[in-house]
Amino acid sequence: MPDHVTPPPTPVSAPDAGQPPPRRYGRRGLLAGSLATVLVVAALGAGAWYLTRSDAPAPGQAASGAGGAPGGGAPGGAPGGPGGPGASRGGPPTTVGVAVAERGDLNVTLEALGTVVPAATVRVRPQVSGPLQQVLYKEGQMVRKGDLLATIDPRPFEMAVQQASGQRLRDEAQLEAARVTLQRFQTLLQLDSIARQEVDTQAALVKQLEATVVVDKANEGTARLNLAYTRIAAPVSGRVGLRTVDVGNMVSTSDTNGVAVITQLSPIDVQFSVPQDQVNAVLDGAGSAMAVRALDRTRTQLLDTGTFGSLDNLVDAQTGTVKAKARFANADGRLFPSQFVNVQLQLRTLKGATLVPVSAVRAGPNGDQVFVLNPDRTVSLRLVQRGQSTVDKIQIVKGLEPGERVITEGADRLRDGSRVTLPGEAGAGRPRGGASGARPGGGGAPQDAPAAAAPQAGASSPAVASGDGSRRSGSDAPGANPSPSASPPTAATPAATPLPAGPTPAQRQRMLESAQNDPEQLERRKRFLEALDRGDPQALERWQQMQQRARQGGGGAQ
C-alpha cells in the first residue's frame, strides 16, 4: 500500500502584541448606554419645546409695574425685551392697526343680483291692412300715450264710411214711410174700413225696417273705426325701439314685427331672488315701505332708490329661492331694461349695536375671536359672538364693549399677551436686533415723564445718548430703574423724516391703475382714499405705516 503523507498542521497566528483584545460590553454597560440615549432625546425634546412654546415671564421675573419699568431695554430678559412676551424672539414689538368699537345703528340688508324689468313692453301692430303712408317717430324717441306714430292710406276706409252712411239713410227713409202707412191703417181700422190683418202686417214691416236701420248704424260705426285705425298711436308712454318698417310697405294685422316696439321706462321694476331662509324676514318688514337700492356691477355707483313691491307665491324647487320685485321711479333713466344690477334690500335697522370693522373678527378653533388692545400695549385674545354684518361693519353681540380698541391689521402675527406698537410711534420703525424702546403705557415709561410733550400723544420718547457713544432707551436714562443687563451699543438713530399727511396725486393714480383689473380691490382703494380725504385718523395711521414700511424696505416693523 502507498504511504499517506500527513500535511503539516496550520500554524495558529498569535495575537498581535500591539493590538488590544476586542472589548466586550456587559449587561451593565448596555443599560448605561440606553439610559444615556434616552436622556439625550429627552433633552432635545425639552429644548425644542422651550424654543417653540408660548412666551411667558420667567420664574422670578418682576411683573409689569413692579421692580422696574416694564419694557426695559434688556434684550431677552425683562418682558419688554425682544425675548419678552408678545414679541418674536430677537425681534421688536409688532406694529398693528387698531380701531375703536363704537355704538351705532346698523342697517340689516339683503343683497341679491337683480334684472331690470320694464313695467310694460308693447309691440304696436296695425289693426287694418293697407300701404304705410307716414312714419312719424324716430328711433329711440321718448313718446307719450296717444302720440301719433304712423298712418296708413285712409282713402279706402273713407269710401267704406260713406257707403255705410248711405245705406243707413236709405233704410231710415223706408222706415219713416212704413210708419206713416201704419198710422193710416190704424185710423181706417177705427172706422171699420180696413181689415185688421193688413194693420198687423204693416206693423211687422215697421219693426223689420227699424232692425235694418240698427244694422246700418253698426256697419257705419265699423267703417268709421277702421278709418280711425289708419292713424296708429302710442298705447303707452315709453321709449321707441329701432324701426321695423318703412314708408310704402304693405302692413296688415298678421305682421309679427309690427310697426314699433315701446318700452315703458318710468316707473320700472327690478326682479331679484330671495333665499327661502330669508322669506320670513322679508314678510315681517313687508308691512312698511322697505327701501331698495340698485347699484351697478362694481357696487360703486348708486343707480336709483325705490321701494319693495311683492313676493311670488311659491318657492323655486330648483334654486330654493322666491322671486321678488321692487319698483323704481327711474326719473333719470339710469335703469335700462334687462340690465343686471346689484340689489340691496333694507330689512330693518339695529339701534345701538356694538360695531367693529370686519377685519377685526377672526375665526378661531373655539369660535369667533378678536384681539383687544390693553393700556400697557399688550393684546388679549377674547372670544366674541357676532351678529349681523355689512360690507365693512359687523355687530358684536357678546364679548366686547363700546370704547375698547381692537386689532384690525397684523393680527396674524399675534398671540395672547403679545406686545405691540401703533403706527407713528418712535419704536415702530426700529430695526430688529437693536435696543428695544420703552413700552408706552407701562409704569415708569418715558411718556409719563415731564419730557413727554411729544408731537404725537402716546409715542415713546427718543433714545438718550450715553457717554460711550451708544444710545439708551428712555428707561435706561439717569433716574430710571436700572435694567438687569445693558443693551448692546448701536449707532445713533437719525431723526425720522416727517411723513406726508396723504398720498400725492401721482401716488393716487398709481394705486388706482394697479387695481384696474380687480373691481373689489379698486373699490377698497377708492374708499381708503376717500377716508384719507375726510381726515379719518385710522386711515391716516394706516397710510403712515405704509410709508414707513416703504422707506425701511421691509426691515422695519412687520
Side-chain angles (χ1 to χ4, degrees), residues 291-314:
V292 183
R293 302 173 70 219
L295 306 175
D296 64 348
R297 183 181 59 85
T298 61
R299 300 175 182 268
T300 58
Q301 185 179 7
L302 178 63
L303 300 178
D304 202 354
T305 302
T307 56
F308 178 76
S310 62
L311 281 173
D312 201 358
N313 57 357
L314 52 86

Side-chain angles (χ1 to χ4, degrees), residues 232-454:
I232 303 175
V236 294
S237 300
R239 182 187 181 95
V240 182
L242 300 180
R243 190 168 60 183
T244 59
V245 68
D246 297 325
V247 176
N249 288 339
M250 191 70 179
V251 295
S252 64
T253 57
S254 60
D255 291 344
T256 57
N257 294 329
V259 176
V261 178
I262 302 177
T263 302
Q264 185 175 351
L265 301 180
S266 179
I268 202 168
D269 297 332
V270 173
Q271 183 174 318
F272 56 97
S273 297
V274 176
Q276 60 182 0
D277 298 335
Q278 299 289 338
V279 171
N280 291 331
V282 175
L283 292 177
D284 292 341
S288 58
M290 293 188 294
V292 183
R293 302 173 70 219
L295 306 175
D296 64 348
R297 183 181 59 85
T298 61
R299 300 175 182 268
T300 58
Q301 185 179 7
L302 178 63
L303 300 178
D304 202 354
T305 302
T307 56
F308 178 76
S310 62
L311 281 173
D312 201 358
N313 57 357
L314 52 86
V315 177
D316 190 344
Q318 295 182 353
T319 61
T321 58
V322 181
K323 293 180 181 179
K325 187 175 289 187
R327 176 61 59 90
F328 295 83
N330 198 27
D332 298 335
R334 305 177 72 179
L335 294 177
F336 208 77
S338 300
Q339 176 185 3
F340 288 100
V341 295
N342 289 289
V343 179
Q344 291 182 352
L345 172 61
Q346 182 175 339
L347 299 177
R348 62 184 184 277
T349 301
L350 298 178
K351 301 290 185 179
T354 302
L355 305 178
V356 297
V358 174
S359 58
V361 182
R362 305 175 64 85
N366 298 325
D368 295 327
Q369 58 190 18
V370 297
F371 283 102
V372 181
L373 180 63
N374 300 321
D376 59 352
R377 289 298 191 270
T378 59
V379 295
S380 300
L381 184 61
R382 189 181 301 177
L383 295 177
V384 296
Q385 180 180 353
R386 62 187 297 174
Q388 301 291 336
S389 62
T390 60
V391 177
D392 55 347
K393 294 291 184 179
I394 187 170
Q395 177 195 14
I396 302 300
V397 179
K398 183 180 179 182
L400 195 65
E401 295 297 331
E404 293 185 303
R405 294 192 291 179
V406 294
I407 305 301
T408 58
E409 295 182 7
D412 52 345
R413 303 187 296 271
L414 300 180
R415 295 187 293 270
D416 191 13
S418 295
R419 187 165 52 90
V420 299
T421 58
L422 302 182
E425 293 182 345
R430 294 185 180 179
R432 296 184 182 273
S436 175
R439 181 170 59 196
Q447 72 174 6
D448 296 333

Side-chain angles (χ1 to χ4, degrees), residues 32-118:
S34 302
L35 181 59
T37 304
V38 172
L39 291 177
V40 171
V41 173
L44 292 176
W49 174 82
Y50 176 77
L51 293 176
T52 58
R53 69 187 178 91
S54 299
D55 294 335
Q61 196 174 30
S64 176
S88 301
R89 295 189 179 274
T94 303
T95 302
V96 297
V98 297
V100 180
E102 56 185 8
R103 186 181 300 276
D105 297 339
L106 181 65
N107 294 327
V108 180
T109 59
L110 174 65
E111 297 189 1
L113 182 64
T115 305
V116 180
V117 180

